Amino acid sequence: MNHFESKQYPDAKGHFGPYGGRYVSETLMPALLELESAYRDIGDDPGFQHELQELLYHYVGRPTPLFHAKRLSAHLGGASLYLKREDLAHTGAHKINNTLGQALLARWIGKKKVIAETGAGQHGVATATVAALFGMECRVFMGVEDIARQAPNVQRMKLLGAEVIPVSSGTGTLKDAMNEAMRYWVGAVRDTFYVIGSVAGPHPYPEMVRDFQKVIGEETRSQILEEQGKLPNMIVACVGGGSNSMGLFYAFVNDPVEILGVEAAGKGIHSGKHAATISAGSVGVLHGSKSYVLQDENGQIQEAHSISAGLDYPGVGPEHSFLKDSGRVRYVSIEDGQALEAFQMLTTLEGIIPALESSHAVAQAMIEAPRRSKNDIIVVNLSGRGDKDLGIVGQHLKF
Amino acid sequence: MNRIAETFEKLRQKKEKALVGFVTAGDPNISESLTLIAAMCEAGLDILELGVPFSDPTADGPVIQRSSVRALAKGASLRRVLEMTRDIRKKFADIPIILFSYYNPIHAYGNKAFYKAAQENGADGVLVVDLPPEESDEMTEAWPGNALSLIRLIAPTTPVERMKHIAASASGFIYLVSKTGVTGSDGLDTGDIAFHTKNLRSVTSLPICVGFGISTAAEVAVVASVADGVVIGSAFERLIEENMDKPELASIVAENVRKYKAATKMT
């Protein structure tokens, strides 16, 4: 296993090798420079870090458990599967780790209004939640297609006092929600903080979101060492924009651990209806950073497809593109049907209803586990709970 | 002297300011787009900004978003826009043509190939909306010459120190964004524009053109009194949208060019 020096990235201009950067209109540049400078300040501020840690403990419920899925492991016959239970974090997904950090940072800078884009609605709920906690005004941009398929999260955001702004342009999914959030931010940048939910967007977001999420991997690493006295052989997480996966991977990049990122293959990569950006895309610029994107030969961004709203995105965080090119992380993809099977399997064998996003990671682990010995350990990031998906799962499974 | 500098020099002698017109290339379709651009040039447009349609225009308001959707549906692409540039240049030898694009279409085309094609087909400059100076080296370092002006954006949020830094790498003219917002936003603050123009003048001798949200001849006159040029974009695209089914589309747009142009004359 190669020793991988990822920790020196991004560079001072926000580049992960050839990826990342700040590809935005001039109106936003001063705000991004201000944000970066504030982000450096809070890194050294014990008061800020103490408050964040206290809230992660008492409000979010960290550390989240690392659960040994014995029945699923026995059923598959092979490696032991462990689940990092981010679904048990407050609001039901890992997204709150990041929104809490960014909301504290917004308060530090002195901005009382926050906006967010959301796909599955988990990031929107997590942003609306911290906005309620800190008494901030909150607007969440969400595609009309996602509003329809993730209705429970729309209701939660409204209950939390956020305004949900439907976005009907394009395919009405995450990409379009992010376009609209960026447009709104251009007009409101003087008093509004944009809480980006993934390790995507212009610098410093990919670095900052990774840092707020890296607690997932740090906890996992010490939990498995404590319980088993050794590192896992493999860690697996789903990749849409890539925040839960970067959060898990980051603590392990210099360890002798195999790392798998699982993209959404939708109806199959060859069908053209997928969201497997790294597996099937090419290098381009979308939403402020350079990374792999799904695009045509003229540089027009193509529509993505996935049963899971959180993975239905034609871009990916720049650090993932960097990890892909370096060979440190292996990126694979799982189709809609395989994710649904994994969803059912985990629900019936372990009594845990996973989010459809996380079900992609579970599905990949189900492929890997039988190929490995009983002494091997695979950790899967269970990034969110599946209550939000009951509607769409019901349609597919006819219940 | 290049076409951009010549244009500003001629206008200065005539005591006029530049009317800069933006249209999304290929809207409502490629042939009608060429017809109406020709009519605009004949009606007195001083500088043409040819918008390269992009699937995800995050700096644009709804009007230009819709124009991009229409143009893309009719097969517009950077390749086609470069062909259109060649056609326009054949008819109009003197008007400066600025290609107005997001970075991804140029990146996909290839920076070096883009430079070559833009220059050979008669473009004078390029403005890349989402390519601030922090990221633009990768494009300009691939350019084998400096025949293409790089038009830089300055925003109302840009501090004076940063203005100075940006102006240092600009050429042709500087595009001052009139307000914090996307293209076509309401609420023009002419006092703000005068303030930012004055700040910008203190750090550059390049001509300053102001755009975003300017839609009436009266607004053109006020902005022209402080700037060297006024950019009209969404207002033209709105006219195209409202009249695209009419055979007299080109003459309607041309009529408005004459109206705006009259407002740029300072005597």
Side-chain angles (χ1 to χ4, degrees):
Chain A
M1 191 69 59
N2 60 331
H3 183 72
F4 187 80
E5 295 288 347
S6 163
K7 308 242 166 175
Q8 61 192 304
Y9 293 99
D11 66 16
K13 289 171 84 180
H15 292 120
F16 300 86
Y19 304 114
R22 283 172 289 218
Y23 296 83
V24 297
S25 63
E26 174 58 21
T27 308
L28 296 179
M29 275 306 298
L32 291 173
L33 294 167
E34 176 197 34
L35 176 60
E36 188 188 356
S37 150
Y39 182 60
R40 302 288 168 233
D41 290 345
I42 56 129
D44 303 327
D45 187 80
F48 184 99
Q49 296 301 333
H50 178 73
E51 187 172 8
L52 178 59
Q53 293 312 316
E54 285 286 302
L55 284 165
L56 286 173
Y57 186 82
H58 294 290
Y59 187 70
V60 175
R62 304 209 72 89
T64 57
L66 184 68
F67 174 71
H68 186 186
K70 291 183 187 144
R71 293 195 69 215
L72 180 59
S73 304
H75 176 82
L76 296 169
S80 281
L81 288 185
Y82 281 76
L83 307 175
K84 179 59 174 167
R85 298 292 309 274
E86 290 299 297
D87 60 317
L88 293 178
H90 180 42
T91 71
H94 71 291
K95 293 292 187 185
I96 188 97
N97 304 326
N98 169 50
T99 60
L100 202 52
Q102 288 198 44
L104 284 170
L105 185 53
R107 199 182 64 184
W108 173 276
I109 296 174
K111 292 187 176 169
K112 294 193 174 70
K113 296 179 184 174
V114 294
I115 57 167
E117 83 294 337
T118 198
Q122 289 300 139
H123 175 60
V125 167
T127 307
T129 298
V130 296
L133 178 66
F134 295 127
M136 292 170 165
E137 197 179 308
C138 178
R139 285 187 179 82
V140 179
F141 295 84
M142 188 170 188
V144 288
E145 163 82 13
D146 292 339
I147 286 178
R149 60 178 162 169
Q150 308 278 217
N153 277 343
V154 178
Q155 289 172 316
R156 292 166 79 195
M157 286 184 268
K158 287 180 177 168
L159 280 170
L160 289 159
E163 183 187 351
V164 179
I165 299 168
V167 178
S168 55
S169 58
T171 48
T173 56
L174 180 53
K175 173 189 77 133
D176 310 295
M178 193 148 177
N179 284 342
E180 209 52 40
M182 288 182 82
R183 288 181 189 120
Y184 181 89
W185 197 36
V186 171
V189 65
R190 291 182 201 271
D191 68 353
T192 300
F193 189 102
Y194 182 11
V195 182
I196 291 182
S198 197
V199 288
H203 179 63
Y205 284 97
E207 175 188 1
M208 183 170 71
V209 176
R210 175 197 74 195
D211 290 351
F212 285 136
Q213 292 292 3
K214 69 183 179 188
V215 63
I216 301 171
E218 287 169 352
E219 283 177 9
T220 301
R221 198 171 182 283
S222 59
Q223 284 166 324
I224 198 75
L225 282 173
E226 189 172 328
E227 188 180 323
Q228 291 293 325
K230 61 175 185 178
L231 290 169
N233 301 80
M234 175 185 278
I235 57 174
V236 186
C238 64
V239 182
S243 71
N244 90 80
S245 45
M246 256 339 289
L248 177 68
F249 297 169
Y250 195 58
F252 292 96
V253 288
N254 291 317
D255 289 327
V257 171
E258 195 176 341
I259 306 181
L260 245 63
V262 185
E263 297 192 297
K267 294 180 174 162
I269 287 190
H270 299 295
S271 73
K273 293 185 183 305
H274 63 82
T277 308
I278 293 182
S279 311
S282 55
V283 177
V285 172
L286 175 66
H287 293 152
S289 60
K290 186 185 278 187
S291 195
Y292 281 87
V293 294
L294 297 179
Q295 61 184 332
D296 68 14
E297 72 278 11
N298 294 312
Q300 306 295 342
I301 308 303
Q302 289 177 316
E303 294 175 2
H305 168 85
S306 170
I307 191 173
S308 135
L311 304 183
D312 196 348
Y313 181 62
V316 67
E319 192 163 9
H320 282 291
S321 295
F322 179 65
L323 289 168
K324 145 84 179 177
D325 286 3
S326 71
R328 179 62 189 93
V329 176
R330 182 157 64 93
Y331 292 87
V332 294
S333 60
I334 285 289
E335 295 182 9
D336 290 349
Q338 295 171 285
L340 278 168
E341 276 173 37
F343 177 98
Q344 287 173 281
M345 187 80 83
L346 189 64
T347 302
T348 53
L349 285 178
E350 299 287 355
I352 296 170
I353 301 176
L356 278 174
E357 290 77 13
S358 322
S359 300
H360 286 71
V362 175
Q364 185 64 35
M366 284 165 52
I367 294 171
E368 301 291 336
R371 297 173 180 165
R372 295 179 166 262
S373 94
K374 290 204 183 310
N375 297 324
D376 280 8
I377 296 168
I378 299 177
V379 174
V380 179
N381 198 17
L382 206 68
S383 55
R385 55 190 289 163
D387 308 47
K388 68 184 179 61
D389 294 314
L390 296 186
I392 193 156
V393 170
Q395 279 173 26
H396 283 269
L397 302 180
K398 311 271 187 276
F399 64 78
Chain B
M1 210 187 300
N2 65 35
R3 288 189 197 97
I4 298 173
E6 274 168 19
T7 297
F8 281 104
E9 178 55 27
K10 272 187 214 158
L11 289 166
R12 196 181 61 77
Q13 287 168 11
K14 289 196 285 183
K15 296 197 165 42
E16 290 179 18
K17 301 300 177 69
L19 175 64
V20 185
F22 168 98
V23 286
T24 300
D27 176 33
N29 58 55
I30 288 169
S31 72
E32 282 193 58
S33 182
L34 280 169
T35 306
L36 78 91
I37 288 165
M40 291 170 79
C41 294
E42 278 158 8
L45 197 68
D46 296 306
I47 295 174
L48 173 65
E49 275 186 4
L50 210 46
V52 178
F54 181 50
S55 53
D56 295 81
T58 52
D60 284 302
V63 174
I64 291 179
Q65 287 174 47
R66 289 196 298 268
S67 76
S68 308
V69 169
R70 288 192 299 268
L72 289 171
K74 297 295 180 184
S77 62
L78 179 54
R79 196 172 304 278
R80 299 299 294 272
V81 177
L82 287 163
E83 290 165 11
M84 290 174 70
T85 305
R86 189 191 55 209
D87 293 346
I88 298 162
R89 179 56 71 217
K90 272 186 205 156
K91 282 192 191 147
F92 302 93
D94 299 328
I95 190 167
I97 302 174
I98 312 297
L99 299 173
F100 196 106
S101 185
Y102 287 82
Y103 185 48
N104 203 50
I106 295 175
H107 180 265
Y109 193 94
N111 286 320
K112 190 176 174 186
F114 167 74
Y115 175 89
K116 195 162 172 283
Q119 199 220 345
E120 285 174 3
N121 290 4
D124 301 283
V126 58
L127 191 162
V128 190
V129 191
D130 54 352
L131 201 65
E134 281 81 355
E135 303 295 345
S136 62
D137 283 356
E138 70 172 53
M139 181 177 78
T140 51
E141 280 170 4
W143 289 2
N146 56 3
L148 215 50
S149 291
L150 183 58
I151 314 298
R152 297 286 197 185
L153 287 170
I154 297 280
T157 50
T158 310
V160 176
E161 266 311 297
R162 185 173 164 82
M163 279 185 181
K164 195 190 264 181
H165 167 68
I166 295 174
S169 66
S171 50
F173 62 89
I174 291 190
Y175 190 130
L176 174 64
V177 176
S178 66
K179 61 162 112 37
T180 54
V182 292
T183 54
S185 324
D186 301 332
L188 202 65
D189 184 336
T190 47
D192 245 21
I193 293 172
F195 173 76
H196 294 302
T197 309
K198 191 169 165 245
N199 280 341
L200 188 50
R201 291 245 189 255
S202 71
V203 300
T204 186
S205 55
L206 285 171
I208 298 168
C209 296
V210 178
F212 278 38
I214 302 169
S215 62
T216 67
E219 288 167 345
V220 170
V222 175
V223 175
S225 70
V226 294
D228 304 302
V230 184
V231 189
I232 304 282
S234 296
F236 283 136
E237 281 301 337
R238 200 174 293 116
L239 272 178
I240 294 170
E241 185 165 56
E242 286 166 0
N243 299 289
M244 54 194 256
D245 298 327
K246 297 181 188 162
E248 63 273 28
L249 170 66
S251 61
I252 293 170
V253 177
E255 180 52 37
N256 279 269
V257 169
R258 279 187 284 273
K259 189 181 74 183
Y260 291 131
K261 182 58 208 167
T264 66
K265 296 178 181 173
M266 297 291 107
T267 48

